[in-house]
Amino acid sequence: QVQLVESGGGSVQPGGSLRLSCAASGSIASINAMGWYRQAPGKGRELVARITSGGSLIYADSVKDRFTLSRDNAKNTVFLQMNSLKPEDTAVYYCHAVVVVPGRSYGDNWWGQGTQVTVSS
């Protein structure tokens, strides 16, 4: 089993900043990719940012130049620094990882429980 533990959500005024963290633990041989998705009320889940094991970064167009994804490989942890937050960033943010467990040759998708981010004046 793999666990993704998220922290750092909360409420902030427009223009403010928040930092999300996600730590993966459990039976992990390797992590192929790790990042964040979000889901706003009444909308589908969308990719926010993701980093692969090779270091390739992908950002949603809506967060480019405002959000920064980084990682600590030794701790299987990713961080999402969110600056210049807007009301439309309000959503539940989910950590996601593609994890290869020992004995397998391919990765499985794992999700965190979600953390609420609310941007409002």
Side-chain angles (χ1 to χ4, degrees):
Q1 284 291 328
V2 174
Q3 297 81 39
L4 301 181
V5 178
E6 303 149 336
S7 61
S11 296
V12 65
Q13 292 186 340
S17 298
L18 285 172
R19 187 180 191 232
L20 305 182
S21 300
C22 174
S25 63
S27 185
I28 299 172
S30 62
I31 298 178
N32 291 344
M34 201 165 175
W36 293 88
Y37 286 70
R38 68 185 181 186
Q39 187 166 15
K43 295 187 177 181
R45 193 171 294 190
E46 64 173 358
L47 174 69
V48 177
R50 186 180 69 175
I51 186 167
T52 67
S53 57
S56 296
L57 278 163
I58 298 174
Y59 292 97
D61 288 343
S62 59
V63 307
K64 283 180 181 177
D65 301 324
R66 298 189 298 121
F67 291 10
T68 302
L69 183 67
S70 59
R71 66 182 179 183
D72 182 337
N73 286 336
K75 297 181 179 180
N76 289 333
T77 299
V78 292
F79 307 94
L80 184 67
Q81 178 66 44
M82 304 185 294
N83 298 328
S84 302
L85 283 160
K86 303 175 181 181
E88 50 264 43
D89 294 318
T90 295
V92 178
Y93 284 68
Y94 295 91
C95 181
H96 170 261
V98 181
V99 178
V100 180
V101 300
R104 287 196 175 180
S105 59
Y106 59 89
D108 291 309
N109 292 303
W110 294 88
W111 294 92
Q113 78 282 2
T115 185
Q116 178 70 45
V117 171
T118 302
V119 185
S120 174
S121 56

